[in-house]
Amino acid sequence: MQLHVSPSMRSITISSSSNEFTTSDLMKIKLAARHISYRTLFHTILILAFLLPFVFILTALVTLEGANKCSSIDCLGRRLGPRLLGRVDDSERLARDFYTILNEVSTQEIPHGLKLPDSFRHLISDIKNNRYDAKTFALVLRAMMEKFERDIRESKFAELTNKHFAASSIPKGIHCLSLKLTDEYSSNAHARRQLPSPELLPLLLNNSYHHFILSTDNILAASVVVSSAVQSSSTPEKIVFHIITDKKTYAGMHSWFALNSVAPAIVEVKGVHQFDWLTKENVPVLEAAERHNGVRNYYHGNHVAGANLTETTPRRFASKLQSRSPKYISLLNHLRIYIPELFPNLDKVVFLDDDIVVQRDLAPLWDLDLGGKVNGAVETCRGDDEWVMSKRLRNYFNFSHPLIAKHLDPEECAWAYGMNVFDLKAWRKTNIRETYHSWLRENLRLNLAMWKLGTLPPALIAFKGHVHVIDSSWHMLGLGYQNKTDIENVRKAAVIHYNGQSKPWLEIGFEHLRPFWTKYVNYSNDFIRNCHILE
Protein backbone atom coordinates (compact mmCIF):
# COMPACT_ATOMS: atom_id res chain seq x y z
CA MET A 1 0.00 0.00 0.00
CA GLN A 2 1.29 3.46 -0.97
CA LEU A 3 0.36 7.05 -0.05
CA HIS A 4 0.98 9.64 -2.82
CA VAL A 5 0.61 13.40 -2.34
CA SER A 6 0.42 15.43 -5.58
CA PRO A 7 3.08 18.20 -6.04
CA SER A 8 0.32 20.79 -6.01
CA MET A 9 -0.93 19.49 -2.59
CA ARG A 10 -4.44 19.33 -4.15
CA SER A 11 -4.98 15.53 -4.03
CA ILE A 12 -3.93 12.41 -2.06
CA THR A 13 -4.03 8.97 -3.74
CA ILE A 14 -3.98 5.63 -1.86
CA SER A 15 -3.00 2.72 -4.10
CA SER A 16 -1.95 -0.91 -3.82
CA SER A 17 0.47 -2.92 -5.93
CA SER A 18 -0.58 -6.43 -6.91
CA ASN A 19 2.86 -7.22 -8.30
CA GLU A 20 6.10 -5.57 -9.24
CA PHE A 21 4.72 -4.02 -12.54
CA THR A 22 1.02 -3.22 -11.93
CA THR A 23 -0.70 -0.89 -9.46
CA SER A 24 -4.34 -0.06 -8.79
CA ASP A 25 -5.82 3.04 -7.13
CA LEU A 26 -7.93 2.28 -4.10
CA MET A 27 -8.92 5.87 -3.18
CA LYS A 28 -8.26 9.36 -4.48
CA ILE A 29 -9.01 12.37 -2.28
CA LYS A 30 -9.15 15.95 -3.58
CA LEU A 31 -8.20 18.64 -1.08
CA ALA A 32 -9.30 22.22 -0.70
CA ALA A 33 -7.20 25.08 -1.89
CA ARG A 34 -3.68 25.18 -0.52
CA HIS A 35 -3.20 27.58 2.43
CA ILE A 36 0.37 26.61 3.43
CA SER A 37 3.43 26.03 1.34
CA TYR A 38 4.91 22.61 0.74
CA ARG A 39 8.16 23.75 2.35
CA THR A 40 6.35 24.82 5.55
CA LEU A 41 4.55 21.51 5.80
CA PHE A 42 7.78 19.62 5.23
CA HIS A 43 9.57 21.49 8.02
CA THR A 44 6.61 20.99 10.36
CA ILE A 45 6.57 17.25 9.74
CA LEU A 46 10.35 17.12 10.22
CA ILE A 47 10.17 18.89 13.60
CA LEU A 48 7.30 16.71 14.78
CA ALA A 49 9.17 13.60 13.70
CA PHE A 50 12.11 14.76 15.83
CA LEU A 51 10.07 15.67 18.94
CA LEU A 52 7.52 12.88 19.03
CA PRO A 53 9.92 10.15 20.34
CA PHE A 54 10.90 12.39 23.27
CA VAL A 55 7.28 13.23 24.04
CA PHE A 56 6.45 9.53 23.98
CA ILE A 57 9.29 8.67 26.41
CA LEU A 58 8.39 11.49 28.84
CA THR A 59 4.72 10.55 28.73
CA ALA A 60 5.63 6.95 29.58
CA LEU A 61 7.80 8.09 32.52
CA VAL A 62 5.10 10.36 33.90
CA THR A 63 2.55 7.58 33.56
CA LEU A 64 4.76 5.25 35.58
CA GLU A 65 5.13 7.95 38.26
CA GLY A 66 1.38 8.44 38.60
CA ALA A 67 0.61 10.96 35.85
CA ASN A 68 -2.16 8.64 34.73
CA LYS A 69 -4.16 10.18 37.58
CA CYS A 70 -4.31 13.44 35.64
CA SER A 71 -7.73 13.95 34.13
CA SER A 72 -6.99 17.01 31.99
CA ILE A 73 -4.50 18.29 29.43
CA ASP A 74 -3.69 21.14 31.83
CA CYS A 75 -2.67 18.68 34.56
CA LEU A 76 -0.48 16.72 32.17
CA GLY A 77 1.06 19.92 30.95
CA ARG A 78 2.00 20.97 34.47
CA ARG A 79 3.67 17.58 34.96
CA LEU A 80 5.46 17.47 31.61
CA GLY A 81 6.26 21.17 31.24
CA PRO A 82 9.18 21.42 33.72
CA ARG A 83 10.68 18.22 32.35
CA LEU A 84 10.48 19.38 28.75
CA LEU A 85 12.11 22.65 29.74
CA GLY A 86 14.77 20.95 31.88
CA ARG A 87 13.52 22.38 35.20
CA VAL A 88 13.77 20.58 38.59
CA ASP A 89 11.19 20.79 41.41
CA ASP A 90 12.39 23.49 43.84
CA SER A 91 11.29 21.44 46.89
CA GLU A 92 13.63 18.60 45.89
CA ARG A 93 16.53 21.00 45.46
CA LEU A 94 15.79 22.67 48.81
CA ALA A 95 15.68 19.29 50.57
CA ARG A 96 19.06 18.33 49.10
CA ASP A 97 20.59 21.66 50.11
CA PHE A 98 19.17 21.42 53.63
CA TYR A 99 20.54 17.91 54.03
CA THR A 100 23.98 19.16 52.97
CA ILE A 101 23.84 21.95 55.55
CA LEU A 102 22.62 19.62 58.33
CA ASN A 103 25.40 17.16 57.52
CA GLU A 104 27.92 19.99 57.69
CA VAL A 105 26.81 21.33 61.10
CA SER A 106 26.55 17.82 62.62
CA THR A 107 30.32 17.80 63.14
CA GLN A 108 30.66 21.40 64.29
CA GLU A 109 30.94 22.39 67.92
CA ILE A 110 27.89 24.19 69.26
CA PRO A 111 28.92 27.69 70.44
CA HIS A 112 29.04 28.04 74.21
CA GLY A 113 26.19 30.13 75.56
CA LEU A 114 24.06 29.77 72.45
CA LYS A 115 20.57 30.92 73.38
CA LEU A 116 18.03 28.29 72.42
CA PRO A 117 14.28 28.76 71.88
CA ASP A 118 12.03 26.89 74.30
CA SER A 119 9.62 25.62 71.65
CA PHE A 120 9.07 25.29 67.92
CA ARG A 121 6.87 28.41 67.97
CA HIS A 122 9.68 30.41 69.56
CA LEU A 123 12.09 29.03 66.98
CA ILE A 124 9.90 30.34 64.12
CA SER A 125 9.70 33.71 65.86
CA ASP A 126 13.49 33.89 66.28
CA ILE A 127 14.05 33.04 62.61
CA LYS A 128 11.72 35.85 61.59
CA ASN A 129 13.18 38.42 64.00
CA ASN A 130 16.88 37.54 63.70
CA ARG A 131 16.87 36.61 60.00
CA TYR A 132 18.83 33.39 60.44
CA ASP A 133 20.75 32.08 57.48
CA ALA A 134 20.35 28.37 56.70
CA LYS A 135 23.53 27.34 58.52
CA THR A 136 22.61 29.20 61.73
CA PHE A 137 19.11 27.74 61.62
CA ALA A 138 20.52 24.21 61.26
CA LEU A 139 22.93 24.75 64.16
CA VAL A 140 20.17 26.06 66.45
CA LEU A 141 17.90 23.18 65.43
CA ARG A 142 20.61 20.63 66.25
CA ALA A 143 21.30 22.25 69.64
CA MET A 144 17.57 22.23 70.46
CA MET A 145 17.15 18.56 69.58
CA GLU A 146 20.21 17.53 71.61
CA LYS A 147 18.94 19.50 74.59
CA PHE A 148 15.50 17.89 74.35
CA GLU A 149 17.12 14.43 74.10
CA ARG A 150 19.14 15.11 77.28
CA ASP A 151 16.06 16.38 79.11
CA ILE A 152 14.01 13.33 78.10
CA ARG A 153 16.82 10.98 79.14
CA GLU A 154 17.24 12.68 82.52
CA SER A 155 13.48 12.60 83.07
CA LYS A 156 13.40 8.88 82.29
CA PHE A 157 16.16 8.13 84.81
CA ALA A 158 14.43 10.33 87.41
CA GLU A 159 11.16 8.46 86.76
CA LEU A 160 12.90 5.09 87.22
CA THR A 161 14.55 6.25 90.45
CA ASN A 162 11.25 7.54 91.86
CA LYS A 163 9.54 4.31 90.82
CA HIS A 164 12.22 2.32 92.64
CA PHE A 165 11.66 4.27 95.87
CA ALA A 166 7.87 3.92 95.47
CA ALA A 167 8.26 0.15 95.04
CA SER A 168 10.53 -0.12 98.08
CA SER A 169 8.26 1.87 100.38
CA ILE A 170 5.24 0.65 102.35
CA PRO A 171 1.96 2.25 101.24
CA LYS A 172 0.15 4.15 103.98
CA GLY A 173 -2.94 1.92 103.73
CA ILE A 174 -0.97 -1.30 104.17
CA HIS A 175 0.98 0.19 107.10
CA CYS A 176 -2.34 1.27 108.65
CA LEU A 177 -3.74 -2.24 108.20
CA SER A 178 -0.79 -3.77 110.02
CA LEU A 179 -1.03 -1.30 112.93
CA LYS A 180 -4.78 -1.69 113.38
CA LEU A 181 -4.63 -5.49 113.29
CA THR A 182 -1.72 -5.51 115.75
CA ASP A 183 -3.76 -3.34 118.09
CA GLU A 184 -6.71 -5.72 117.61
CA TYR A 185 -4.47 -8.64 118.62
CA SER A 186 -3.76 -7.02 121.98
CA SER A 187 -7.37 -6.03 122.70
CA ASN A 188 -9.49 -8.78 121.13
CA ALA A 189 -9.28 -12.34 122.45
CA HIS A 190 -10.86 -13.68 119.27
CA ALA A 191 -7.99 -12.20 117.25
CA ARG A 192 -5.59 -14.19 119.45
CA ARG A 193 -7.34 -17.53 119.10
CA GLN A 194 -5.18 -20.48 118.21
CA LEU A 195 -4.53 -21.07 114.52
CA PRO A 196 -5.57 -23.65 113.59
CA SER A 197 -7.89 -24.88 116.31
CA PRO A 198 -6.46 -27.71 118.48
CA GLU A 199 -8.47 -30.48 116.80
CA LEU A 200 -6.96 -29.53 113.41
CA LEU A 201 -3.32 -29.45 114.54
CA PRO A 202 -2.54 -33.02 113.35
CA LEU A 203 -3.44 -31.99 109.81
CA LEU A 204 -0.43 -29.65 109.74
CA LEU A 205 1.73 -32.77 109.46
CA ASN A 206 -0.57 -34.88 107.28
CA ASN A 207 1.06 -35.52 103.89
CA SER A 208 -2.24 -36.47 102.25
CA TYR A 209 -3.14 -32.75 102.37
CA HIS A 210 -1.91 -30.05 99.97
CA HIS A 211 0.59 -27.94 101.87
CA PHE A 212 1.40 -24.39 100.70
CA ILE A 213 4.19 -22.29 102.20
CA LEU A 214 4.12 -18.50 102.07
CA SER A 215 6.80 -16.25 103.57
CA THR A 216 5.79 -12.57 103.81
CA ASP A 217 5.35 -9.49 105.99
CA ASN A 218 2.57 -8.07 103.77
CA ILE A 219 -0.81 -8.91 105.34
CA LEU A 220 -2.90 -7.70 102.41
CA ALA A 221 -0.81 -9.63 99.87
CA ALA A 222 -0.98 -12.78 102.01
CA SER A 223 -4.78 -12.50 102.19
CA VAL A 224 -5.00 -12.38 98.38
CA VAL A 225 -2.71 -15.40 97.91
CA VAL A 226 -4.71 -17.51 100.38
CA SER A 227 -8.14 -16.37 99.16
CA SER A 228 -7.30 -16.92 95.49
CA ALA A 229 -5.87 -20.39 96.16
CA VAL A 230 -8.91 -21.46 98.21
CA GLN A 231 -11.48 -20.03 95.79
CA SER A 232 -9.74 -21.62 92.79
CA SER A 233 -9.52 -25.06 94.38
CA SER A 234 -11.95 -27.91 93.70
CA THR A 235 -11.00 -29.41 97.10
CA PRO A 236 -10.43 -26.47 99.47
CA GLU A 237 -10.90 -28.78 102.46
CA LYS A 238 -7.55 -30.38 101.59
CA ILE A 239 -5.60 -27.08 101.60
CA VAL A 240 -3.18 -26.23 104.42
CA PHE A 241 -1.37 -22.87 104.37
CA HIS A 242 1.80 -22.36 106.43
CA ILE A 243 2.42 -18.60 106.61
CA ILE A 244 5.78 -17.42 107.93
CA THR A 245 6.26 -13.77 108.88
CA ASP A 246 8.64 -11.64 110.90
CA LYS A 247 8.27 -10.74 114.57
CA LYS A 248 6.90 -7.23 114.04
CA THR A 249 4.15 -8.43 111.66
CA TYR A 250 3.22 -11.64 113.48
CA ALA A 251 0.44 -10.16 115.68
CA GLY A 252 -1.24 -8.37 112.75
CA MET A 253 -0.95 -11.39 110.43
CA HIS A 254 -2.39 -13.71 113.09
CA SER A 255 -5.26 -11.29 113.75
CA TRP A 256 -6.24 -11.16 110.07
CA PHE A 257 -6.56 -14.91 109.62
CA ALA A 258 -8.11 -15.40 113.06
CA LEU A 259 -10.83 -12.86 112.24
CA ASN A 260 -11.22 -13.80 108.54
CA SER A 261 -11.66 -17.54 108.26
CA VAL A 262 -10.99 -19.30 104.96
CA ALA A 263 -12.62 -22.58 106.10
CA PRO A 264 -12.66 -25.35 105.12
CA ALA A 265 -9.01 -24.58 104.31
CA ILE A 266 -6.54 -24.53 107.23
CA VAL A 267 -4.15 -21.67 107.98
CA GLU A 268 -1.14 -21.67 110.31
CA VAL A 269 0.71 -18.42 111.06
CA LYS A 270 4.21 -18.56 112.55
CA GLY A 271 6.85 -15.92 113.19
CA VAL A 272 10.52 -16.55 112.46
CA HIS A 273 11.12 -16.17 116.19
CA GLN A 274 8.94 -19.25 116.81
CA PHE A 275 11.18 -21.65 114.85
CA ASP A 276 13.74 -23.22 117.18
CA TRP A 277 15.89 -24.20 114.21
CA LEU A 278 16.41 -20.61 113.00
CA THR A 279 19.39 -19.74 115.18
CA LYS A 280 22.52 -17.77 114.40
CA GLU A 281 24.45 -21.01 114.39
CA ASN A 282 22.32 -22.44 111.58
CA VAL A 283 22.12 -19.30 109.45
CA PRO A 284 25.44 -17.49 110.05
CA VAL A 285 25.79 -16.38 106.42
CA LEU A 286 22.46 -14.57 106.46
CA GLU A 287 23.37 -12.84 109.71
CA ALA A 288 26.58 -11.72 108.04
CA ALA A 289 24.70 -10.56 104.94
CA GLU A 290 22.46 -8.30 106.99
CA ARG A 291 25.41 -6.82 108.88
CA HIS A 292 27.95 -6.57 106.03
CA ASN A 293 28.70 -2.86 105.40
CA GLY A 294 29.18 -3.31 101.68
CA VAL A 295 25.87 -5.13 101.40
CA ARG A 296 23.98 -2.57 103.44
CA ASN A 297 25.46 0.31 101.43
CA TYR A 298 24.55 -1.45 98.19
CA TYR A 299 20.93 -2.11 99.15
CA HIS A 300 20.20 0.88 101.41
CA GLY A 301 22.58 3.53 100.05
CA ASN A 302 22.19 6.20 97.38
CA HIS A 303 21.33 4.24 94.22
CA VAL A 304 22.13 7.12 91.84
CA ALA A 305 25.30 8.63 93.32
CA GLY A 306 28.34 7.52 91.35
CA ALA A 307 26.28 5.97 88.56
CA ASN A 308 27.43 6.99 85.07
CA LEU A 309 24.07 7.51 83.41
CA THR A 310 25.63 8.53 80.08
CA GLU A 311 26.98 5.01 79.56
CA THR A 312 23.86 3.02 80.37
CA THR A 313 20.38 2.60 78.97
CA PRO A 314 17.14 3.22 80.90
CA ARG A 315 16.30 -0.48 80.66
CA ARG A 316 19.65 -1.54 82.12
CA PHE A 317 19.37 1.13 84.82
CA ALA A 318 15.89 -0.15 85.75
CA SER A 319 17.24 -3.70 86.11
CA LYS A 320 20.06 -2.48 88.36
CA LEU A 321 17.65 -0.54 90.55
CA GLN A 322 15.36 -3.52 90.94
CA SER A 323 18.28 -5.73 91.94
CA ARG A 324 19.01 -3.29 94.79
CA SER A 325 15.69 -3.74 96.54
CA PRO A 326 16.28 -4.10 100.32
CA LYS A 327 14.03 -7.17 100.37
CA TYR A 328 16.91 -9.20 98.90
CA ILE A 329 18.78 -9.17 102.21
CA SER A 330 15.67 -9.94 104.26
CA LEU A 331 15.69 -13.22 106.18
CA LEU A 332 12.10 -13.83 105.00
CA ASN A 333 13.33 -13.82 101.41
CA HIS A 334 16.03 -16.43 102.15
CA LEU A 335 13.80 -18.72 104.23
CA ARG A 336 12.86 -20.88 101.24
CA ILE A 337 16.30 -22.49 101.33
CA TYR A 338 15.51 -23.85 104.84
CA ILE A 339 12.08 -25.36 104.12
CA PRO A 340 13.22 -29.01 104.68
CA GLU A 341 14.49 -28.08 108.15
CA LEU A 342 11.55 -25.84 109.08
CA PHE A 343 8.99 -28.50 108.10
CA PRO A 344 10.75 -31.81 108.82
CA ASN A 345 7.55 -33.89 108.69
CA LEU A 346 6.36 -32.77 105.25
CA ASP A 347 7.25 -34.61 102.03
CA LYS A 348 6.00 -32.31 99.29
CA VAL A 349 5.01 -28.63 99.33
CA VAL A 350 4.24 -25.78 96.95
CA PHE A 351 6.08 -22.57 97.75
CA LEU A 352 4.35 -19.31 96.75
CA ASP A 353 5.59 -15.72 96.67
CA ASP A 354 3.31 -13.04 98.11
CA ASP A 355 2.91 -11.18 94.78
CA ILE A 356 1.06 -13.99 93.00
CA VAL A 357 -2.59 -14.80 92.33
CA VAL A 358 -3.87 -18.38 91.96
CA GLN A 359 -6.42 -18.73 89.15
CA ARG A 360 -6.67 -22.51 88.72
CA ASP A 361 -6.82 -25.55 90.93
CA LEU A 362 -3.23 -26.43 91.92
CA ALA A 363 -4.06 -29.91 93.27
CA PRO A 364 -2.54 -31.64 90.19
CA LEU A 365 0.89 -30.32 91.24
CA TRP A 366 0.94 -32.89 94.07
CA ASP A 367 0.54 -35.65 91.47
CA LEU A 368 3.36 -34.26 89.36
CA ASP A 369 6.30 -36.65 88.98
CA LEU A 370 9.49 -34.64 89.41
CA GLY A 371 11.60 -37.58 88.26
CA GLY A 372 13.71 -37.62 91.39
CA LYS A 373 14.42 -33.89 91.15
CA VAL A 374 13.93 -31.46 94.03
CA ASN A 375 12.50 -28.33 92.45
CA GLY A 376 9.63 -28.17 89.95
CA ALA A 377 9.90 -24.74 88.29
CA VAL A 378 9.13 -22.83 85.10
CA GLU A 379 12.06 -21.91 82.85
CA THR A 380 12.50 -18.23 81.98
CA CYS A 381 14.48 -18.37 78.73
CA ARG A 382 11.69 -19.38 76.37
CA GLY A 383 8.44 -17.60 75.57
CA ASP A 384 6.76 -14.85 73.58
CA ASP A 385 7.60 -12.12 76.08
CA GLU A 386 11.18 -11.09 75.22
CA TRP A 387 11.47 -8.83 78.26
CA VAL A 388 10.44 -11.40 80.87
CA MET A 389 11.10 -14.78 79.28
CA SER A 390 14.66 -14.19 78.04
CA LYS A 391 16.63 -14.86 81.23
CA ARG A 392 19.75 -17.00 81.10
CA LEU A 393 22.56 -17.28 83.63
CA ARG A 394 24.41 -14.42 81.93
CA ASN A 395 21.59 -12.12 83.12
CA TYR A 396 22.35 -12.86 86.79
CA PHE A 397 26.10 -13.47 87.09
CA ASN A 398 29.35 -11.64 86.38
CA PHE A 399 31.01 -14.01 83.92
CA SER A 400 34.19 -11.94 83.90
CA HIS A 401 34.90 -13.42 87.33
CA PRO A 402 37.00 -16.61 86.97
CA LEU A 403 34.96 -18.64 89.50
CA ILE A 404 31.71 -17.95 87.68
CA ALA A 405 33.27 -18.57 84.26
CA LYS A 406 34.69 -21.88 85.47
CA HIS A 407 31.54 -23.34 87.02
CA LEU A 408 28.64 -21.91 85.01
CA ASP A 409 27.47 -21.71 81.40
CA PRO A 410 26.24 -18.20 80.46
CA GLU A 411 23.74 -19.65 77.96
CA GLU A 412 22.14 -22.04 80.44
CA CYS A 413 18.44 -21.37 80.95
CA ALA A 414 17.36 -19.80 84.25
CA TRP A 415 14.23 -20.78 86.18
CA ALA A 416 11.81 -18.81 88.32
CA TYR A 417 11.00 -18.50 91.98
CA GLY A 418 7.42 -17.62 92.88
CA MET A 419 5.57 -20.90 92.36
CA ASN A 420 7.75 -23.94 93.02
CA VAL A 421 6.94 -27.57 93.76
CA PHE A 422 9.50 -28.91 96.26
CA ASP A 423 10.05 -32.62 96.90
CA LEU A 424 11.38 -32.34 100.45
CA LYS A 425 12.24 -36.06 100.74
CA ALA A 426 14.56 -35.75 97.73
CA TRP A 427 15.88 -32.40 98.98
CA ARG A 428 17.02 -33.82 102.32
CA LYS A 429 19.31 -36.24 100.46
CA THR A 430 21.26 -33.39 98.82
CA ASN A 431 23.74 -30.71 99.92
CA ILE A 432 21.71 -27.84 98.40
CA ARG A 433 21.71 -25.73 101.57
CA GLU A 434 25.48 -26.15 102.08
CA THR A 435 26.17 -25.19 98.45
CA TYR A 436 23.94 -22.14 98.82
CA HIS A 437 25.78 -21.03 101.97
CA SER A 438 29.20 -21.65 100.44
CA TRP A 439 28.61 -19.49 97.35
CA LEU A 440 26.82 -16.78 99.34
CA ARG A 441 29.73 -16.62 101.79
CA GLU A 442 32.27 -16.36 98.96
CA ASN A 443 30.32 -13.61 97.22
CA LEU A 444 30.21 -11.63 100.47
CA ARG A 445 33.96 -12.08 100.88
CA LEU A 446 34.46 -10.73 97.35
CA ASN A 447 32.20 -7.75 98.09
CA LEU A 448 29.40 -8.92 95.75
CA ALA A 449 31.79 -9.36 92.80
CA MET A 450 30.09 -12.48 91.40
CA TRP A 451 26.46 -11.31 91.46
CA LYS A 452 24.36 -8.48 92.84
CA LEU A 453 20.80 -9.81 92.88
CA GLY A 454 19.78 -11.38 96.18
CA THR A 455 18.27 -14.87 96.47
CA LEU A 456 17.95 -16.31 92.97
CA PRO A 457 21.64 -16.42 91.84
CA PRO A 458 22.88 -18.62 94.73
CA ALA A 459 19.77 -20.77 94.27
CA LEU A 460 20.54 -21.16 90.54
CA ILE A 461 23.91 -22.61 91.59
CA ALA A 462 22.68 -24.66 94.56
CA PHE A 463 19.78 -26.29 92.65
CA LYS A 464 21.91 -27.02 89.59
CA GLY A 465 20.99 -30.54 88.42
CA HIS A 466 18.00 -30.68 90.80
CA VAL A 467 15.39 -28.79 88.72
CA HIS A 468 12.47 -30.42 86.91
CA VAL A 469 10.99 -28.06 84.29
CA ILE A 470 7.20 -27.76 84.47
CA ASP A 471 4.85 -26.38 81.83
CA SER A 472 4.89 -22.58 81.58
CA SER A 473 1.08 -22.41 81.82
CA TRP A 474 1.42 -23.15 85.55
CA HIS A 475 3.30 -19.92 86.26
CA MET A 476 3.12 -16.68 84.23
CA LEU A 477 5.65 -14.03 85.16
CA GLY A 478 6.23 -10.36 84.45
CA LEU A 479 2.99 -8.65 85.47
CA GLY A 480 5.00 -6.17 87.53
CA TYR A 481 7.59 -5.48 84.82
CA GLN A 482 5.72 -4.04 81.86
CA ASN A 483 2.23 -3.22 80.68
CA LYS A 484 2.39 -5.11 77.36
CA THR A 485 1.43 -8.41 78.98
CA ASP A 486 -1.06 -10.35 76.85
CA ILE A 487 -4.41 -10.33 78.69
CA GLU A 488 -5.57 -13.62 77.16
CA ASN A 489 -2.42 -15.35 78.41
CA VAL A 490 -3.04 -13.85 81.86
CA ARG A 491 -6.54 -15.30 81.95
CA LYS A 492 -5.29 -18.77 80.99
CA ALA A 493 -2.40 -19.02 83.48
CA ALA A 494 -2.78 -21.10 86.64
CA VAL A 495 -0.66 -18.66 88.66
CA ILE A 496 0.08 -15.07 87.64
CA HIS A 497 3.11 -13.40 89.17
CA TYR A 498 3.47 -9.64 89.66
CA ASN A 499 7.25 -9.89 89.92
CA GLY A 500 8.82 -6.52 89.29
CA GLN A 501 8.35 -3.06 90.77
CA SER A 502 4.75 -2.41 89.74
CA LYS A 503 3.00 -4.41 92.43
CA PRO A 504 -0.81 -4.38 92.23
CA TRP A 505 -1.15 -2.89 95.74
CA LEU A 506 0.98 0.12 94.73
CA GLU A 507 -0.22 3.18 92.84
CA ILE A 508 2.47 2.48 90.24
CA GLY A 509 0.82 -0.86 89.43
CA PHE A 510 -0.52 -1.32 85.91
CA GLU A 511 -4.21 -0.44 85.87
CA HIS A 512 -5.32 -3.06 83.33
CA LEU A 513 -3.54 -5.84 85.26
CA ARG A 514 -4.66 -4.78 88.75
CA PRO A 515 -8.22 -6.24 88.56
CA PHE A 516 -6.85 -9.79 88.44
CA TRP A 517 -5.50 -9.10 91.95
CA THR A 518 -8.14 -6.80 93.46
CA LYS A 519 -10.95 -9.30 92.78
CA TYR A 520 -9.64 -11.24 95.79
CA VAL A 521 -9.47 -8.23 98.15
CA ASN A 522 -12.38 -8.06 100.59
CA TYR A 523 -13.26 -4.37 100.37
CA SER A 524 -16.24 -4.85 102.67
CA ASN A 525 -13.90 -5.70 105.56
CA ASP A 526 -13.87 -2.97 108.23
CA PHE A 527 -10.06 -2.87 108.49
CA ILE A 528 -9.65 -2.60 104.71
CA ARG A 529 -12.29 0.11 104.51
CA ASN A 530 -11.00 2.14 107.46
CA CYS A 531 -7.44 2.10 106.11
CA HIS A 532 -8.61 3.29 102.67
CA ILE A 533 -6.81 0.48 100.87
CA LEU A 534 -6.37 1.22 97.17
CA GLU A 535 -9.43 -0.06 95.29
Side-chain angles (χ1 to χ4, degrees), residues 354-374:
D354 64 359
D355 52 356
I356 64 98
V357 173
V358 179
Q359 301 187 129
R360 266 197 349 239
D361 187 8
L362 299 185
L365 291 176
W366 273 264
D367 299 324
L368 197 65
D369 182 9
L370 299 184
K373 305 292 186 181
V374 172

Side-chain angles (χ1 to χ4, degrees), residues 227-243:
S227 295
S228 64
V230 172
Q231 292 181 37
S232 301
S233 175
S234 60
T235 54
E237 67 278 1
K238 294 199 69 175
I239 289 179
V240 178
F241 259 95
H242 305 268
I243 300 175

Side-chain angles (χ1 to χ4, degrees), residues 458-484:
L460 290 172
I461 299 174
F463 282 100
K464 187 175 176 63
H466 299 291
V467 177
H468 174 81
V469 178
I470 63 175
D471 191 271
S472 59
S473 64
W474 283 110
H475 184 191
M476 182 179 182
L477 296 112
L479 277 70
Y481 274 124
Q482 43 128 358
N483 59 2
K484 296 180 181 178

Side-chain angles (χ1 to χ4, degrees), residues 160-161 164 303 317-325 501:
L160 291 171
T161 304
H164 168 71
H303 299 342
F317 182 67
S319 296
K320 288 182 177 179
L321 282 178
Q322 186 176 337
S323 71
R324 297 178 73 164
S325 172
Q501 292 179 323

Side-chain angles (χ1 to χ4, degrees), residues 488-531:
E488 283 306 311
N489 289 339
V490 173
R491 291 193 178 101
K492 295 175 184 176
V495 171
I496 54 174
H497 194 172
Y498 292 84
N499 58 314
Q501 292 179 323
S502 301
K503 304 298 185 189
W505 55 81
L506 299 175
E507 291 187 8
I508 59 173
F510 300 122
E511 290 296 331
H512 66 296
L513 298 176
R514 198 193 309 274
F516 293 96
W517 186 84
T518 55
K519 67 185 288 188
Y520 294 105
V521 176
N522 181 10
Y523 287 105
S524 63
N525 181 275
D526 289 340
F527 293 100
I528 298 287
R529 196 168 61 249
N530 292 335
C531 286

